Amino acid sequence: MPQRVDSFEAVVLPHLKAGYNLARWLLRNDHDAEDVMQEAIVRAFRFYDGFSGNNPRGWLLTVVRNSAYSFLQQNRARELGTEFDEDLHGEIAETPEVLVLRSAQQRLLNQAVEALPVEFREVFVLREMEGLSYKEIADVAGVPIGTVMSRLSRARRNLIAAVARREQVGSAS
Amino acid sequence: MNCSEAKRLIDAYVDNELDVRGVLELEEHVSHCPGCSVEERGLRELQTSSRANLIRYAPSPGLEARLHAALRAEAKDAPIPIKTAEPAPRRRAWKWAALAPLAAAAALLIVAVPRLLPAPSETSVADAVVAAHVRSLLANHLTDVASSDQHTVKPWFQGKLDYSVSVKDWAAEGYPLVGGRLDYVEDTPAAALVYRRAQHVVNLFVWPSKNAADEPVQRLARRGYSAYSWTTDRMHYWAVSDVNDAELQKFVELVRRRE
């Protein structure tokens, strides 16, 4: 059925970049992100007949998200359902050299987002990188809007505190 | 608005997810509250910095090539009845998670099937009702008239709607009336009666039906909320809440028993 492949590639694959970015942020390394992405795309293709045609990006993100979570469940279950551990943020590697302020900040922020528990990281990345609305995030993550709001809010408070703490450490040393 | 309300809404404000009324109230509060104003600035800085600085990971060219190949292979492998002697065992490792969307779709179908044919717009009404429920919680605009007295709430609606709504307090049964609100469901003015069940809010939306036929109770789930709908005496009723299903069902029975 080559026309089915063509249609899938035309409708869904334009959102591959968004899907990969989400997988990479959820899994935190390229190797696993590529494996999960491949599985997600094949899975999406199998379900493609049942896809309504609305919002292919949100649909692909949902499939990618679910694939990433089942991968974590099987391989790194302890990363799921974790609460904030303030110590986690203490382990961020020191920047080896004096860097331009901007790149230091950039590194700091990326590290702080990586250190968020996956449920919080997911909501934050979908909001700030993909620009999804609360409702769209709720649909992708399969949680109520209230949960999206509280996770987003806690993720942000945590990031602001983590970045402020790191900047303090940086200026003190 | 006080600080704890402002803190609850300030993320939604920064994300442009607050309704006009909420925006006005929040801005008013932030303008004279130094603490919340610092908080707002912090959130906006984080947002700007995140959008500029978070690494956007791109798939490698190798991955894209592998995906195209995997899709062609999958398409060939698909179970189309071609004239091969015996169906090759499909080399896929089904996982639970892969089945979940199917199961969800099947569950939805079971619930929705009796209504699919006569009312194709049912799901959009459900979305609108749940959105109205969420909005009422989000913007802290739960009630226009806050009263547990049905004789206060009922007359309040009279000048605002061209139909009459019966209002009853079920405090004795564990569902105290909190008040009423004028809401809109798909551009139709609807009465929203607000009840509490422990920490949960139950919104009961009521508006006139265009056809005379009664409809039995239907249940729908949307984004973690349960919704029950029915039509009696030319009025649509929708009860929405995040309370557990059995308790919402009990509430629905209370409302229906009295009609």
Side-chain angles (χ1 to χ4, degrees):
Chain A
M1 278 202 294
Q3 70 277 28
R4 189 162 166 268
V5 180
D6 291 343
S7 154
F8 180 84
E9 290 190 344
V11 172
V12 179
L13 287 198
H15 306 290
L16 181 65
K17 285 196 171 82
Y20 183 77
N21 185 53
L22 178 65
R24 178 62 179 72
W25 272 103
L26 293 181
L27 298 160
R28 297 189 287 192
N29 73 65
D30 286 315
H31 183 264
D32 291 346
E34 294 209 345
D35 281 0
V36 162
M37 203 58 209
Q38 183 156 344
E39 187 184 327
I41 288 290
V42 170
R43 192 185 278 185
F45 182 65
R46 283 178 202 155
F47 289 121
Y48 186 52
D49 291 337
F51 169 52
S52 67
N54 294 324
N55 191 4
R57 187 173 65 132
W59 184 70
L60 180 65
L61 288 175
T62 308
V63 179
V64 168
R65 184 261 180 203
N66 290 340
S67 301
Y69 269 68
S70 46
F71 177 90
L72 288 175
Q73 202 110 52
Q74 283 160 21
N75 300 290
R76 297 191 242 147
R78 65 188 179 86
E79 288 183 24
L80 293 170
T82 46
E83 270 303 304
F84 283 115
D85 177 0
E86 295 305 326
D87 290 344
L88 262 179
H89 294 284
E91 293 168 12
I92 294 168
E94 285 293 328
T95 36
E97 332 239 325
V98 183
L99 292 152
V100 209
L101 186 63
R102 197 187 113 79
S103 81
Q105 273 179 342
Q106 182 173 10
R107 175 188 289 244
L108 221 85
L109 182 66
N110 278 283
Q111 286 172 334
V113 174
E114 275 216 340
L116 290 174
V118 64
E119 289 88 355
F120 295 84
R121 203 185 320 137
E122 155 182 73
V123 170
F124 187 77
V125 166
L126 288 172
R127 173 67 215 158
E128 301 300 9
M129 301 197 75
E130 301 306 330
L132 263 53
S133 70
Y134 289 0
K135 182 191 177 314
E136 290 171 318
I137 299 173
D139 290 344
V140 169
V143 297
I145 286 188
T147 306
V148 171
M149 290 179 69
S150 69
R151 282 183 186 170
L152 191 56
S153 168
R154 290 187 59 201
R156 285 172 170 162
R157 300 304 176 283
N158 185 282
L159 290 173
I160 289 172
V163 170
R165 198 157 52 234
R166 298 290 305 156
E167 275 174 351
Q168 257 170 18
V169 171
S171 61
S173 62
Chain B
M1 183 177 288
N2 60 34
C3 280
S4 74
E5 284 168 339
K7 285 203 165 37
R8 204 165 53 79
L9 295 178
I10 199 159
D11 284 87
Y13 171 63
V14 169
D15 288 323
N16 296 324
E17 293 255 356
L18 214 51
D19 67 2
V20 181
R21 182 181 169 142
V23 168
L24 292 177
E25 288 182 11
L26 194 101
E27 281 177 348
E28 209 273 318
H29 173 83
V30 168
S31 70
H32 64 254
C33 174
C36 289
S37 140
V38 168
E39 178 124 351
E40 189 209 337
R41 216 169 320 130
L43 286 174
R44 293 213 186 270
E45 276 171 25
L46 175 66
Q47 193 159 60
T48 311
S49 173
S50 302
R51 290 176 185 178
N53 290 326
L54 287 183
I55 300 169
R56 195 167 282 281
Y57 295 101
S60 65
L63 175 66
E64 290 196 42
R66 278 206 302 287
L67 289 179
H68 287 291
L71 283 175
R72 311 274 153 195
E74 177 69 22
K76 249 182 249 144
D77 202 25
I80 322 154
I82 321 173
K83 5 166 183 21
T84 40
E86 58 198 73
R90 308 226 314 261
R91 45 159 186 86
R92 45 185 73 149
W94 279 101
K95 289 167 188 150
W96 276 111
L99 293 173
L102 267 188
L108 199 70
L109 214 63
I110 290 163
V111 175
V113 153
R115 294 301 301 273
L116 275 180
L117 297 177
S121 66
E122 192 68 9
T123 54
S124 71
V125 176
D127 282 332
V129 168
V130 170
H133 173 77
V134 171
R135 226 166 28 235
S136 75
L137 304 176
L138 259 183
N140 211 28
H141 176 197
L142 204 50
T143 53
D144 290 322
V145 49
S147 170
S148 59
D149 182 358
Q150 59 211 52
H151 303 297
T152 304
V153 176
K154 184 180 162 73
W156 181 86
F157 279 115
Q158 268 161 10
K160 289 150 189 92
L161 297 169
D162 56 358
Y163 51 92
S164 159
V165 183
S166 47
V167 180
K168 182 148 171 27
D169 178 30
W170 280 289
E173 289 83 359
Y175 299 85
L177 177 68
V178 186
R181 184 181 75 247
L182 191 61
D183 213 317
Y184 288 84
V185 177
E186 295 208 309
D187 300 329
T188 307
L193 306 177
V194 185
Y195 294 87
R196 272 200 192 280
R197 174 67 176 180
Q199 300 308 311
H200 304 271
V201 170
V202 181
N203 266 301
L204 176 64
F205 297 90
V206 186
W207 72 95
S209 158
K210 289 191 184 68
N211 33 28
D214 284 3
E215 297 278 351
V217 177
Q218 304 284 330
R219 178 178 180 273
L220 275 164
R222 276 286 182 290
R223 293 141 61 184
Y225 296 96
S226 289
Y228 283 82
S229 72
W230 68 95
T231 305
T232 309
D233 296 338
R234 287 181 167 260
M235 295 296 253
H236 287 308
Y237 293 80
W238 280 81
V240 189
S241 182
D242 62 347
V243 75
N244 76 53
D245 199 51
E247 295 189 345
L248 186 58
Q249 213 171 340
K250 204 180 132 205
F251 175 79
V252 169
E253 281 161 17
L254 277 172
V255 179
R256 284 174 59 81
R257 199 184 309 155
R258 199 184 44 92
E259 281 157 13

